[in-house]
Amino acid sequence: MSNAVSPFSSVKLPAALVQQAREAAQPQRRSVAGQIEYWATLGRIADETGLTVQEAREAIARYDARQRGGPLDESLDAIESRFVDAETTGRLVQAVRSTVSANRQKASLPRAA
């Protein structure tokens, strides 16, 4: 018999939570355990840093993409989510103002012949 210590532990969770995790995991192609781990990570990040849930999701997506060596999720849902987040935090307004200001500066520069 091996005395090796397993990196995993078993815990009892309410059946309703496991079912919710199963339903949430399927479209994301995660296991039930992976979904619960994701939720726990999201909760820890939000709790420890004061991030909003959306900011924590984005941080996890960036981390996951770096781990996989792949691009960020560029689905329409992901793009819309980032847009809505930028709009609600005021970053969208600031980005538009900065772009307009930069374009005005470019337009006022004398053009080379």
Side-chain angles (χ1 to χ4, degrees):
M1 187 153 209
S2 173
N3 287 336
V5 177
S6 172
F8 299 100
S9 296
S10 294
V11 295
K12 291 185 184 254
L13 298 171
L17 177 63
V18 174
Q19 183 58 36
Q20 288 171 344
R22 182 172 285 112
E23 291 167 5
Q26 187 176 19
Q28 301 299 323
R29 298 184 189 266
R30 294 185 184 113
S31 65
V32 173
Q35 183 65 37
I36 292 171
E37 231 178 292
Y38 174 80
W39 285 341
T41 300
L42 186 61
R44 276 195 339 263
I45 290 170
D47 192 45
E48 292 173 7
T49 64
L51 291 175
T52 65
V53 171
Q54 183 61 35
E55 290 167 333
R57 282 184 180 143
E58 289 174 2
I60 289 171
R62 286 191 299 272
Y63 174 81
D64 286 346
R66 282 193 304 269
Q67 293 299 92
R68 288 189 312 269
L72 287 176
D73 179 5
E74 290 300 321
S75 68
L76 291 177
D77 288 340
I79 292 168
E80 181 181 20
S81 176
R82 289 196 304 275
F83 178 83
V84 168
D85 182 57
E87 185 177 36
T88 58
T89 62
R91 289 189 319 231
L92 180 61
V93 170
Q94 185 57 42
V96 169
R97 285 183 181 147
S98 296
T99 301
V100 168
S101 177
N103 287 338
R104 283 185 178 152
Q105 287 176 355
K106 287 179 189 175
S108 67
L109 294 175
R111 296 184 185 211

